[in-house]
Amino acid sequence: MFRLRVSGGPRSGEQAVLDAARPCLIGRGSDATLRFADDPYMSRNHAQLALGPEGAWVVKNLSPNGLLVSGQQVKAERALRPSDVLLIGRTLLIFELVDPAARRPAAFPATPNAAPATPTAAAPAAAAAAAPWPPPRRPSRSPRLPRRPPLPAPRPPPPPPRRPPRPPPSRPNRPPSPP
């Protein structure tokens, strides 16, 4: 079972489980399965996720605005792998497995020589799948660093340099005036 988790955008933290029986239409329109009315960069019918003929989930681009899957632009359609990141408009979606242990082939057990899962061991996995994502943040236990003292006020600019005094005007040699 797969789900889409909204990792970025106005509805960050929400998730939707994909139903293999019907395709999932993503867009702003009222007929969209996953409706993002608050994303102005998303088309009414932007993308469609459906189970392909080989059993893999396929994303189809229905918009001229385009979409990115794991950093690569999708023109028509592309098969999805777990942990692929879809950028549709300004919304970031992560395509992921709900319970990775449920999809693991029997040839590759979770741990070597592991005992088969019992119903009591499966209950925590089901509870973990239903737990909200992202988990609530814990307060930091690191001590707070002291604040840096404020910078001193800038110095005023230096005064302009003083000019040397002007010499007295020179007088031509004149005879003294009679009294």
Side-chain angles (χ1 to χ4, degrees):
M1 197 162 32
F2 289 91
R3 72 177 168 203
L4 283 176
R5 182 170 48 91
V6 181
S7 176
R11 292 174 46 190
S12 183
E14 292 183 21
Q15 57 189 3
V17 177
L18 297 174
D19 184 11
R22 61 184 200 143
C24 175
L25 184 63
I26 302 171
R28 278 187 307 125
S30 59
D31 57 340
T33 311
L34 286 177
R35 187 170 180 229
F36 294 92
D38 45 1
D39 189 347
Y41 294 93
M42 193 177 292
S43 299
R44 285 187 206 107
N45 296 327
H46 202 105
Q48 181 181 19
L49 272 72
L51 208 54
E54 296 90 28
W57 282 90
V58 176
V59 62
K60 283 185 187 176
N61 183 15
L62 303 175
S63 170
N65 297 335
L67 77 113
L68 296 175
V69 175
S70 297
Q72 296 177 350
Q73 187 156 9
V74 175
K75 298 288 185 191
E77 62 180 51
R78 179 186 189 277
L80 291 175
R81 293 178 303 214
S83 74
D84 270 347
V85 178
L86 289 81
L87 180 62
I88 302 176
R90 293 255 172 117
T91 304
L92 198 66
L93 302 163
I94 299 177
F95 178 75
E96 57 190 10
L97 281 168
V98 173
D99 185 12
R103 295 278 300 186
R104 184 174 286 122
F108 300 103
T111 56
N113 303 326
T118 60
T120 56
W133 189 262
R137 288 191 168 190
R138 294 183 182 167
S140 174
R141 294 180 187 244
S142 62
R144 249 193 119 135
L145 297 175
R147 290 188 142 213
R148 190 182 281 189
L151 294 173
R155 289 184 173 178
R162 292 185 143 197
R163 291 186 185 173
R166 285 186 168 181
S170 64
R171 291 186 170 187
N173 287 341
R174 287 189 198 169
S177 59

